[in-house]
Amino acid sequence: MTKLDTTNVLIESASSKLGADDDPRLWEVALKVLADEFLRRYNGAAKNQKWIFVVGACAHWVRPHNSLWNAAGAFVYPEGYLNSLPELDWSVLLSYQNQRWALIKKLPGKKQTVFRVSIPARSMRHKQAAVHTQWSASQVPVFYGFRKLDGSWKCVAASDERSEGSVNTYEDMTQI
């Protein structure tokens, strides 16, 4: 399965749940970047467990106007309440095995690697978005910063760039 096919599956799975205030162009660019991260880890790991991609929208962040992530000009700090994961208003769960995606209703039992993605809701109202991600095997979240520049969304920062290198910076090409 190509990267384009992967991105299309993820976008199609989430698009029916997007609200009127959710910018589908942000979701498309964010899911391209995050699909790359997911596949990079998947391709470098043992396949003796299930690989799960959970993506959803979060409308409630902790103190959004008083907390900042200082990267690429600063973003609202993407954290949930009480130092927990952001609460998803809705989510889509997909399993990835043997180069195929399958929509699932709930997390399978044990032996799974989960990549959880929280994308801010109401993105049509904003020109930037900080996306919260976390792997099940890690207690350290990774943030991705997106900005709407000249009408197009672009990934401009990732909190793990020092250790993992630069993030792929896909752009929304519909405005160019």
Side-chain angles (χ1 to χ4, degrees):
M1 179 172 278
T2 67
K3 288 181 183 179
L4 181 60
D5 293 337
T6 292
T7 304
N8 287 341
V9 168
L10 295 172
I11 291 167
E12 288 171 12
S13 299
S15 66
S16 66
K17 299 213 177 233
L18 296 180
D21 278 354
D22 296 325
D23 191 334
R25 295 174 303 168
L26 167 64
W27 281 76
E28 182 176 343
V29 173
L31 289 174
K32 283 179 184 176
V33 169
L34 300 169
D36 275 0
E37 174 62 16
F38 182 90
L39 292 175
R40 183 181 68 79
R41 296 240 188 147
Y42 175 84
N43 290 332
K47 309 300 184 279
N48 61 346
Q49 56 189 353
K50 295 181 193 274
W51 283 72
I52 311 296
F53 192 104
V54 177
V55 62
C58 177
H60 305 286
W61 301 90
V62 66
R63 297 176 45 212
H65 301 293
N66 298 328
S67 304
L68 292 178
W69 166 42
N70 290 313
F75 291 87
V76 169
Y77 192 77
E79 184 177 65
Y81 290 103
L82 302 174
N83 296 323
S84 66
L85 294 171
E87 184 177 329
L88 299 176
D89 300 334
W90 57 262
S91 63
V92 173
L93 288 78
L94 294 117
S95 174
Y96 188 75
Q97 288 184 300
N98 303 319
Q99 307 296 317
R100 294 189 186 271
W101 288 99
L103 198 58
I104 58 176
K105 293 184 186 228
K106 63 180 184 171
L107 291 173
K110 297 178 181 177
K111 293 195 92 176
Q112 59 191 4
T113 298
V114 178
F115 186 46
R116 188 178 189 277
V117 176
S118 305
I119 299 177
R122 301 185 296 268
S123 50
M124 289 288 253
R125 302 178 188 181
H126 304 287
K127 294 185 181 186
Q128 65 182 21
V131 173
H132 180 287
T133 69
Q134 191 159 340
W135 288 94
S136 56
S138 173
Q139 296 300 315
V140 179
V142 177
F143 308 141
Y144 292 83
F146 294 85
R147 288 207 193 284
K148 195 175 202 179
L149 305 166
D150 297 324
S152 297
W153 286 99
K154 182 177 181 181
C155 183
V156 296
S159 64
D160 67 350
E161 283 183 302
R162 285 190 179 146
S163 62
E164 298 294 325
S166 294
V167 66
N168 287 328
T169 58
Y170 293 101
E171 287 187 54
D172 161 31
M173 302 303 277
T174 60
Q175 296 295 316
I176 298 176

